[in-house]
C-alpha cells in the first residue's frame, strides 16, 4: 500500500485543479481524517485510501455550472490513474462510488462503510476552525461580501450564500454535523460545530448584532 500511496501523492500534486479551499493541504487533512475513521470502523483501507487521496483530482469552481459533476469526473480520472499504476482492480467499483458520493453538490448517498468514511472525512474538513478559514477563502476568491449589513445572520431574510459568505454557515456548514455517518465523525463533528457557533456569537458581539 505504501508504494501506491506515494504514487497517489505525486499524482495529486500535479493533476488536481486547486482553488482557494481545495489544495494539497486539504487532501492531506482529509487523508488524516479518513485514517482515523478507517481504524475506528475497521474499514477497507484499499478502498478508503485511494478514494481520499484522489477525491479532488478534478475540482470545478463553486460557481461552475457543472459543479455537481465534479466528483464523477474525479472518480473517472482516478480509476484511469489507478489502472496505470497497477492498483488491484477488484476495488475499483467501490473506489469510484466513494469518490462520487463524497461530494455535497452531487447529493448521492454513500452505499458502503468506506464511502461513508470518505464522505465524513471530507465534510469534517469543511467545519470547525479549518472550515471557517476555508469558507472565508472561498468567499474572498468569489468576491462575496462577508455579511449582509442589515441582517448578518439572515434572521428576517432568505439565506443568500451566493452574495454573502456568512450565509454559507446557515446554508451548509452548520448542517453538516447532522449528515455525518460514523460514530467517530459524529463525535468530532459536534466539537467542530460547537466551535463554529462560538465563532458566530463572537462575531455578532464584535459587529454589534445579537444572534438569537
Amino acid at each position: 500500500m505504501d508504494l501506491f500511496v506515494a504514487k497517489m501523492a505525486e499524482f495529486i500534486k500535479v493533476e488536481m485543479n486547486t482553488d482557494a479551499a481545495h489544495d494539497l493541504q486539504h487532501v492531506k487533512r482529509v487523508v488524516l481524517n479518513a485514517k482515523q475513521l478507517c481504524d475506528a470502523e475497521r474499514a477497507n483501507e484499499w478502498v478508503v485510501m485511494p478514494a481520499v487521496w484522489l477525491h479532488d483530482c478534478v475540482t470545478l469552481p463553486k460557481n461552475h455550472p457543472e459543479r455537481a459533476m465534479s466528483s464523477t469526473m474525479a472518480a473517472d480520472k482516478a480509476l484511469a490513474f489507478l489502472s496505470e499504476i497497477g492498483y488491484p482492480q477488484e476495488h475499483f467499483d467501490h473506489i469510484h462510488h466513494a469518490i462520487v458520493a463524497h461530494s455535497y453538490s452531487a447529493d448521492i448517498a454513500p452505499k458502503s462503510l468506506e464511502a461513508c468514511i470518505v464522505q465524513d472525512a471530507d465534510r469534517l474538513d469543511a467545519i470547525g476552525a479549518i472550515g471557517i478559514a476555508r469558507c472565508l477563502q472561498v468567499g474572498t476568491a468569489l468576491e462575496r461580501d462577508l455579511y449582509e449589513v442589515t441582517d448578518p445572520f439572515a434572521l428576517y431574510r432568505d439565506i443568500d450564500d451566493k452574495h454573502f459568505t456568512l450565509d454559507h454557515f446557515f446554508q451548509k456548514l452548520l448542517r453538516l454535523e447532522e449528515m455525518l455517518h460514523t460514530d467517530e465523525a459524529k463525535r468530532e463533528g459536534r466539537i467542530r460545530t460547537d466551535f463554529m457557533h462560538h465563532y458566530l456569537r463572537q462575531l455578532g458581539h464584535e459587529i454589534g448584532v445579537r444572534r438569537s
Side-chain angles (χ1 to χ4, degrees):
M1 172 63 81
D2 290 345
L3 178 60
F4 286 123
V5 166
K7 291 181 178 181
M8 293 174 208
E10 287 302 313
F11 175 78
I12 201 70
K13 286 180 186 178
V14 175
E15 296 294 331
M16 71 182 298
N17 301 317
T18 60
D19 62 30
H22 295 84
D23 57 8
L24 183 60
Q25 297 311 310
H26 162 68
V27 171
K28 289 181 176 180
R29 291 191 303 268
V30 174
V31 169
L32 179 60
N33 292 339
K35 285 180 178 179
Q36 295 170 343
L37 298 178
C38 199
D39 289 344
E41 298 292 335
R42 300 182 182 276
N44 187 348
E45 67 172 2
W46 287 87
V47 173
V48 173
M49 285 299 103
V52 290
W53 270 110
L54 304 175
H55 75 281
D56 276 344
C57 65
V58 174
T59 305
L60 300 179
K62 292 285 187 183
N63 56 354
H64 194 285
E66 296 184 359
R67 172 71 179 181
M69 292 299 298
S70 185
S71 65
T72 298
M73 296 177 188
D76 292 344
K77 185 174 181 177
L79 289 200
F81 166 71
L82 291 173
S83 181
E84 290 177 5
I85 65 173
Y87 200 81
Q89 294 195 7
E90 64 264 29
H91 304 300
F92 277 20
D93 287 347
H94 293 293
I95 293 168
H96 191 277
H97 169 66
I99 294 176
V100 171
H102 94 271
S103 169
Y104 183 89
S105 302
D107 193 25
I108 295 173
K111 298 178 181 178
S112 67
L113 172 60
E114 289 72 24
C116 287
I117 286 174
V118 174
Q119 190 182 93
D120 282 358
D122 185 61
R123 292 184 177 182
L124 283 175
D125 202 54
I127 57 179
I130 196 66
I132 293 171
R134 293 178 68 213
C135 183
L136 296 175
Q137 283 182 305
V138 171
T140 300
L142 295 176
E143 299 183 342
R144 296 169 179 166
D145 290 336
L146 179 57
Y147 55 85
E148 200 281 328
V149 176
T150 63
D151 186 7
F153 299 119
L155 299 177
Y156 308 105
R157 61 176 175 83
D158 292 336
I159 294 171
D160 180 11
D161 66 350
K162 289 183 172 56
H163 293 95
F164 306 109
T165 297
L166 198 62
D167 283 28
H168 195 58
F169 283 76
F170 314 118
Q171 180 69 36
K172 177 182 177 181
L173 303 188
L174 294 174
R175 300 170 54 205
L176 289 180
E177 180 195 357
E178 301 172 358
M179 302 177 186
L180 298 172
H181 302 281
T182 60
D183 289 342
E184 181 64 17
K186 290 177 181 178
R187 183 195 66 78
E188 180 63 22
R190 175 74 271 166
I191 295 170
R192 297 189 184 202
T193 301
D194 284 346
F195 182 86
M196 290 192 296
H197 281 296
H198 178 76
Y199 168 79
L200 291 173
R201 287 192 296 270
Q202 180 64 22
L203 179 64
H205 168 73
E206 294 180 14
I207 64 176
V209 178
R210 185 168 183 172
R211 180 177 174 232
S212 60

